[in-house]
Amino acid sequence: MKEDNKRQYIVVNLGVEQYGIDIQYVDNIVRMQRITRVPLVQPYFVGVINIRGEIIPVMSLRIKFGLEPDKYTGTTRILIIKIEPQAAIGIIVDEVKNVVVLDDENIEKPLSGSNDEKSIYLSGVGKLEEGLVSLLNLQGVIVDKENVTA
Amino acid sequence: MDVSQYLEIFIEETKEHLQTLNEQLLVLEKEPENTNTINEIFRAAHSLKGMAGTMGYKKMQRLTHEMENVFSEIRNEKVRVNAELIDILFRGLDAISNFLDNIIATADEGDGDGEDLPNLLSKYSNENSKDNVPAAPVKSKENHGMAAAAAVAAETTKEKFKMMKIADHEKKAIIKAADEGKKIYGITVYIRESCILKSARAFLVFKALEEHGDVIKANPEVQDIEDEHFDFDFSILYISEEEQSRIKNLIMNISEIDDVAVGSFEIDGMEDSEKDAEEEKEIVKETAAKTTAVKTAPAAGKKGQATAAASAAKPIVNRSVRIDIEKLDNLMNSVSELIIAKNGLVSLSTTDSGIANQGSFNEQIEYLERITTELHQSVMKVRMVPIETVFNKFPRMIRDLSKKLGKDMELIMSGEDTELDRTVVDEIGDPLQHLLRNSADHGLEKNSVRIAAGKPEIGSIYLNAFQEGNNVVIEVKDDGAGIDVEKIKKKAIEKNLVTDEQAETLTDKEIIDLMFRPGFSTADVVSDVSGRGVGLDVVKTKIEALGGDVEAKTTQGQGSSFTIRLPLTLAIIQALMVELGTEKYAIPLGSIQTIEDVPFKDIKYVQTKPVISLRGTVIPLISLDDILQVPKEDTKSETFTVVIVRKGDKQAGLIVDNLIGQLEIVIKSIGKYINNSKLISGATILGDGEIALILDVNALL
């Protein structure tokens, strides 16, 4: 963050869409690695990984967003997100593209009144020269709200 | 000077003294003539008062002061111990622990109750004796060891008399003393700058002086000295018959005193020609100033300042463990060895490699392995505290309950020295208290009923702790009426926990387990002792959170028992590594009984559930593959491996695909957001960086 109303976002690809993730919550970006399955958990948690001795659960945004399951390729990355200390979480993305700076003027609030369950996952839409980027509301994505779908 | 840095020590020590007082008061009630006990109580009360004073907790100080007076009266055999007095004293202790709780939470003693207690107590000590003043000087001799406390205490009594005094009186006293041929000294004491507890040293000075004369005036004021509101010197006006050199020696004998200046002081001249004139002049000036306006104003100001400092210091109180020095030494030894082992490896890597080296390399690795195990054990030992710290408060509680419920009962404890992890010890208090209350309230019958049933009139509650393998077992037993299974069944149906039909098929044990369901309470009358219906399920939840489990047993008419099983350590365990398909899992060794190779044909079915019969016991089989939804792999072998696990007296055989071996594993959490089933208690990282999940056997059974 250089100035108050400017934020840096990491732009990632997920299917055909671009998503922006506020850089201040990103702890690390790692390559795909062996994921240990954890039985009997929410379906979008694909398992846990070991990042320097810390065990971090990994969720699939694709499954969470109802897209087809991840196909792990050479560009697949896991973003380690920390929205609070001592509670990291990994999210799988197809590709990490670049880092952009957005100020408030270039961010549009998500459509209000939208009934789409996915709307709580977004905090806004950023306008870039090369297109639109959906900004993820990490709190909404990470914290489990079972009743949203109900 | 800010005293908040001593807050931790204060809290720890206050807890200890409270505990001593509680214990000894119980003894005193039974043996009112036991002088050892009285002295012990007296010492604890005295230290408590001193510490409260030093820390500036006025209410606590006042209360302890009054209690101490009562104890002093008891010691001087001016007051007789009776149940009523003990009750009041216990109430006093409760009030003190309330203060302490407030202090822990907010660093301030709070408004707390017990306002009436000091009066109640002082009435007690006054009514029963006309002269409780002479008792005061006696006590200061008793407490040589407790420097700060004794000194503060001696000061407090004096301070009161000071408050009534005005400058004229002081003058008169000096003149009077002079008339009586006593010598008047001005003394300035310099405390070493490295001294930590300045006030303590100062009070040692006061104490020493008071044994040989009277301190008339201090500068800064005694209160400021007590609060450490002074630099490294203070001055005193002092009346004594002793020689100047002797007084000087008295003070110099106290450690951390750098220097002391003693000179005679003359009231008439106001100008002093003797040695160290400047100090005395200062005193005189100060005396005049202080006694007029300053006396009231700074007191108020200081108070405000103190509370401000206290509230700023709010979250300072850390959790601490007191460690036996021997345990630390062991730890240090292990670390030294670790360094040696590391050096061994370093030197190996610098010499040329070869086949011959391989052997010594392995040797070093084995050495390293041994040391890390030792190190682990030492660290664990450091975290271990005897369960005594929890058990200690129960005799008092049972006494109170006994009075409240009108039943005679006694608590018989064993295994107080059993050691448990500090975290567990901290958490186990509430559940145990609950179980004991249950035993006292629901378990034991009224005395008349007991006599009618041909039992000893006094009910017994047993609290036992012992180690069993990798577990610590705590039993709460009573010899009361036992749990009425029918009553529980009825209640459970009433509360819609089970249906009529279900209830009929349940075994007694299963019915007893219903008591641990939320919203269950069997007391017909809800008392304030137990029976609010939030009882046993909370106990169970808490114990399960600690990785343990609880089990109830009962024999009609003979009593019931609750058995709590807790893991010895939390962070590192020995585990058996097994393979399910391609996945690796860890099963805590503590819950494993045996491992068997069983031919497929030995599987029998009971009510369509697979079991095996092993040395005469029928053991249900659990297919971990199915439960954990492991991707299936076809196996062609004719036998399969069963890990027999046990929880209490329940057993089960876990079918695994492959055994890997025993490993010491570090338990790690698998994260906060993952909605984990109870089956997985955590994860661990293996040598190659791979993650293995840890199975919670308790949840499987």
Side-chain angles (χ1 to χ4, degrees):
Chain A
M1 276 181 293
K2 285 162 198 159
E3 283 165 44
D4 283 359
N5 54 352
K6 282 190 178 168
R7 282 169 189 269
Q8 282 181 291
Y9 289 87
I10 291 179
V11 179
V12 300
N13 271 355
L14 205 62
V16 292
E17 280 191 78
Q18 290 193 111
Y19 289 92
I21 296 168
D22 192 339
I23 206 166
Q24 64 167 316
Y25 299 119
V26 179
D27 194 57
N28 200 353
I29 300 174
V30 297
R31 285 174 182 278
M32 197 57 206
Q33 52 178 279
R34 196 197 147 121
I35 298 180
T36 306
R37 187 187 71 97
V38 180
L40 314 171
V41 292
Q42 304 99 310
Y44 50 83
F45 271 112
V46 292
V48 288
I49 55 170
N50 167 17
I51 302 288
R52 291 188 297 271
E54 198 180 340
I55 292 176
I56 296 171
V58 177
M59 68 158 56
S60 160
L61 279 187
R62 279 175 164 270
I63 299 176
K64 183 113 188 177
F65 291 171
L67 306 172
E68 62 220 60
D70 301 88
K71 282 194 198 81
Y72 302 140
T73 67
T75 59
T76 306
R77 294 286 183 276
I78 302 173
L79 267 68
I80 310 298
I81 308 285
K82 265 188 187 167
I83 52 172
E84 53 189 300
Q86 305 305 320
I89 194 164
I91 57 177
I92 302 173
V93 298
D94 290 355
E95 187 182 2
V96 175
K97 286 184 70 182
N98 55 354
V99 177
V100 296
V101 181
L102 284 171
D103 54 27
D104 289 348
E105 290 165 22
N106 291 325
I107 296 177
E108 230 157 77
K109 291 285 152 207
L111 297 172
S112 56
S114 162
N115 260 345
D116 190 356
E117 65 179 67
K118 275 166 73 176
S119 65
I120 74 146
Y121 300 148
L122 298 183
S123 63
V125 177
K127 288 178 282 190
L128 293 174
E129 282 169 20
E130 61 264 36
L132 297 179
V133 54
S134 312
L135 305 179
L136 286 181
N137 169 20
L138 289 171
Q139 194 75 34
V141 172
I142 291 172
V143 178
D144 191 22
K145 287 240 168 60
E146 297 288 47
N147 51 357
V148 170
T149 47
Chain B
M1 172 102 187
D2 189 7
V3 287
S4 62
Q5 52 175 315
Y6 309 120
L7 201 55
E8 268 173 50
I9 307 175
F10 170 75
I11 289 168
E12 279 297 313
E13 296 198 345
T14 306
K15 276 185 191 161
E16 269 172 35
H17 288 308
L18 275 178
Q19 185 52 44
T20 318
L21 283 172
N22 266 317
E23 278 169 31
Q24 298 298 329
L25 270 181
L26 283 175
V27 178
L28 186 69
E29 190 178 26
K30 286 193 190 111
E31 308 162 28
E33 307 298 327
N34 190 331
T35 39
N36 277 343
T37 308
I38 298 168
N39 285 336
E40 185 85 6
I41 290 176
F42 193 79
R43 269 196 290 274
H46 198 77
S47 315
L48 210 53
K49 180 178 95 176
M51 291 190 312
T54 313
M55 298 297 290
Y57 295 124
K58 299 278 177 258
K59 275 184 230 154
M60 195 160 152
Q61 189 188 0
R62 169 142 184 259
L63 181 55
T64 43
H65 176 71
E66 294 302 342
M67 287 177 77
E68 190 198 348
N69 280 347
V70 175
F71 292 136
S72 158
E73 295 302 310
I74 296 172
R75 194 171 62 171
N76 297 340
E77 300 182 353
K78 292 199 175 103
V79 172
R80 293 208 62 81
V81 178
N82 57 32
E84 187 202 352
L85 176 60
I86 297 274
D87 279 341
I88 296 175
L89 289 172
F90 272 134
R91 272 186 59 201
L93 293 186
D94 290 343
I96 295 172
S97 48
N98 281 342
F99 286 143
L100 187 65
D101 288 345
N102 278 331
I103 290 167
I104 293 171
T106 64
D108 186 60
E109 60 186 333
D111 298 326
D113 47 358
E115 287 291 337
D116 59 319
L117 278 166
N119 303 329
L120 208 61
L121 285 164
S122 67
K123 221 182 284 168
Y124 219 92
S125 56
N126 291 335
E127 262 172 30
N128 288 278
S129 72
K130 287 115 249 162
D131 51 349
N132 66 0
V133 189
V138 186
K139 66 196 168 196
S140 50
K141 280 182 192 158
E142 188 77 35
N143 300 290
H144 255 286
M146 298 168 195
V152 177
E155 185 278 321
T156 322
T157 43
K158 185 172 55 60
E159 184 215 322
K160 274 183 186 162
F161 110 88
K162 263 188 91 65
M163 294 301 256
M164 300 184 293
K165 278 210 159 218
I166 52 162
D168 282 350
H169 279 90
E170 282 166 24
K171 245 182 231 167
K172 272 180 201 161
I174 294 169
I175 294 164
K176 196 177 160 222
D179 289 344
E180 285 171 7
K182 289 179 182 166
K183 297 187 185 77
I184 301 127
Y185 294 107
I187 304 169
T188 302
V189 180
Y190 296 91
I191 294 178
R192 193 164 301 162
E193 301 204 359
S194 60
C195 175
I196 296 172
L197 272 170
K198 286 186 297 179
S199 60
R201 295 301 165 206
F203 292 127
L204 277 181
V205 172
F206 278 100
K207 193 184 137 221
L209 289 176
E210 273 169 2
E211 282 177 1
H212 301 277
D214 289 311
V215 174
I216 301 181
K217 182 78 192 168
N219 173 50
E221 290 209 44
V222 179
Q223 186 62 49
D224 292 68
I225 296 176
E226 178 190 318
D227 291 342
E228 299 215 359
H229 287 293
F230 68 104
D231 291 333
F232 292 95
D233 59 309
F234 58 92
S235 306
I236 300 163
L237 267 189
Y238 181 55
I239 302 174
S240 174
E241 292 173 353
E242 299 286 348
E243 288 301 323
Q244 187 171 322
S245 58
R246 173 142 166 70
I247 291 169
K248 189 163 177 158
N249 279 341
L250 269 177
I251 299 172
M252 287 306 284
N253 278 343
I254 296 161
S255 52
E256 290 189 281
I257 299 292
D258 247 353
D259 199 3
V260 60
V262 184
S264 55
F265 182 80
E266 285 165 18
I267 192 108
D268 294 345
M270 280 292 174
E271 296 281 336
D272 205 310
S273 55
E274 297 278 342
K275 313 133 205 168
D276 309 304
E278 13 177 324
E279 277 91 23
E280 278 106 39
K281 261 186 242 164
E282 209 174 292
I283 297 164
V284 176
K285 276 183 216 148
E286 288 284 327
T287 317
K290 274 249 164 78
T291 37
T292 51
V294 194
K295 204 149 199 173
T296 47
K302 211 191 312 144
K303 205 170 191 181
Q305 187 190 328
T307 31
S311 50
K314 241 180 201 177
I316 287 184
V317 188
N318 293 325
R319 282 154 38 90
S320 58
V321 185
R322 291 195 164 202
I323 300 165
D324 191 347
I325 198 85
E326 200 182 309
K327 287 179 177 174
L328 275 184
D329 286 346
N330 285 338
L331 197 57
M332 197 58 220
N333 277 342
S334 302
V335 173
S336 326
E337 279 202 58
L338 188 65
I339 292 167
I340 296 169
K342 182 215 59 173
N343 290 344
L345 282 173
V346 169
S347 75
L348 266 181
S349 71
T350 49
T351 55
D352 16 62
S353 53
I355 299 155
N357 233 348
Q358 191 63 39
S360 43
F361 180 72
N362 285 341
E363 217 169 82
Q364 285 295 328
I365 292 291
E366 271 171 39
Y367 183 44
L368 197 61
E369 220 170 71
R370 210 182 66 229
I371 294 164
T372 43
T373 311
E374 265 173 35
L375 198 58
H376 165 215
Q377 280 167 353
S378 306
V379 174
M380 278 347 266
K381 273 194 194 132
V382 167
R383 288 187 57 91
M384 300 291 253
V385 289
I387 200 160
E388 201 176 1
T389 48
V390 180
F391 276 22
N392 278 340
K393 64 179 182 195
F394 293 134
R396 160 78 202 282
M397 190 187 90
I398 292 296
R399 174 195 178 271
D400 289 354
L401 284 176
S402 168
K403 296 221 153 180
K404 203 180 238 169
L405 298 167
K407 299 177 190 173
D408 285 334
M409 58 183 85
E410 61 179 337
L411 179 67
I412 300 151
M413 302 196 295
S414 75
E416 297 100 316
D417 53 353
T418 310
E419 289 195 326
L420 263 173
D421 194 277
R422 166 78 197 234
T423 4
V424 180
V425 168
D426 282 349
E427 296 290 318
I428 199 68
D430 286 347
L432 281 182
Q433 185 171 340
H434 207 100
L435 291 177
L436 286 169
R437 279 166 179 270
N438 265 349
S439 283
D441 195 11
H442 306 308
L444 294 179
E445 317 91 324
K446 292 234 156 32
N447 287 22
S448 51
V449 180
R450 288 183 68 90
I451 296 168
K455 287 190 192 178
E457 184 183 350
I458 298 173
S460 300
I461 298 175
Y462 299 88
L463 182 59
N464 304 322
F466 54 91
Q467 199 175 330
E468 191 188 78
N470 242 347
N471 290 319
V472 166
V473 179
I474 305 172
E475 282 179 331
V476 179
K477 275 199 287 197
D478 64 67
D479 66 348
I483 299 166
D484 189 339
V485 177
E486 285 307 313
K487 203 165 149 189
I488 289 176
K489 206 191 274 183
K490 253 172 61 191
K491 199 91 173 185
I493 296 167
E494 218 173 88
K495 303 225 166 187
N496 285 328
L497 293 174
V498 288
T499 62
D500 284 323
E501 299 81 52
Q502 279 173 327
E504 285 315 307
T505 62
L506 291 175
T507 63
D508 279 5
K509 194 170 166 9
E510 282 165 327
I511 291 169
I512 288 169
D513 283 342
L514 288 176
M515 293 194 306
F516 292 107
R517 295 271 195 90
F520 193 92
S521 175
T522 50
D524 292 330
V525 184
V526 171
S527 66
D528 62 346
V529 176
S530 57
R532 285 199 193 82
V534 289
L536 286 173
D537 68 303
V538 176
V539 170
K540 192 182 166 98
T541 319
K542 191 113 188 197
I543 288 167
E544 280 178 352
L546 292 171
D549 67 289
V550 57
E551 207 180 352
K553 273 189 205 138
T554 185
T555 315
Q556 194 73 41
Q558 285 175 31
S560 40
S561 81
F562 290 85
T563 309
I564 297 171
R565 228 171 278 273
L566 292 165
L568 205 50
T569 57
L570 293 177
I572 306 177
I573 56 165
Q574 293 281 344
L576 175 74
M577 302 303 300
V578 300
E579 231 169 7
L580 304 173
T582 56
E583 297 177 359
K584 286 175 184 160
Y585 289 88
I587 304 173
L589 218 54
S591 49
I592 297 178
Q593 223 170 12
T594 56
I595 299 167
E596 307 282 339
D597 256 342
V598 183
F600 267 113
K601 58 179 168 49
D602 281 8
I603 300 184
K604 307 274 189 313
Y605 286 88
V606 173
Q607 293 178 327
T608 74
K609 290 192 180 113
V611 297
I612 49 168
S613 169
L614 198 69
R615 290 180 280 276
T617 341
V618 175
I619 297 172
L621 288 179
I622 296 174
S623 166
L624 287 180
D625 287 7
D626 291 347
I627 288 183
L628 301 174
Q629 300 159 354
V630 178
K632 273 270 189 294
E633 276 186 5
D634 279 343
T635 42
K636 285 272 182 279
S637 72
E638 291 184 353
T639 64
F640 59 102
T641 312
V642 178
V643 178
I644 310 288
V645 293
R646 162 198 65 183
K647 169 198 177 190
D649 46 14
K650 267 194 257 176
Q651 282 184 324
L654 309 179
I655 303 173
V656 301
D657 292 343
N658 215 343
L659 295 176
I660 300 171
Q662 184 181 332
L663 198 66
E664 194 169 56
I665 58 168
V666 180
I667 302 177
K668 298 198 170 229
S669 148
I670 57 168
K672 175 180 167 189
Y673 301 107
I674 205 155
N675 195 356
N676 190 21
S677 75
K678 278 190 169 178
L679 290 182
I680 307 293
S681 63
T684 190
I685 296 171
L686 303 178
D688 57 359
E690 200 182 323
I691 297 172
L693 300 174
I694 303 166
L695 290 177
D696 183 0
V697 171
N698 288 337
L700 277 170
L701 298 187

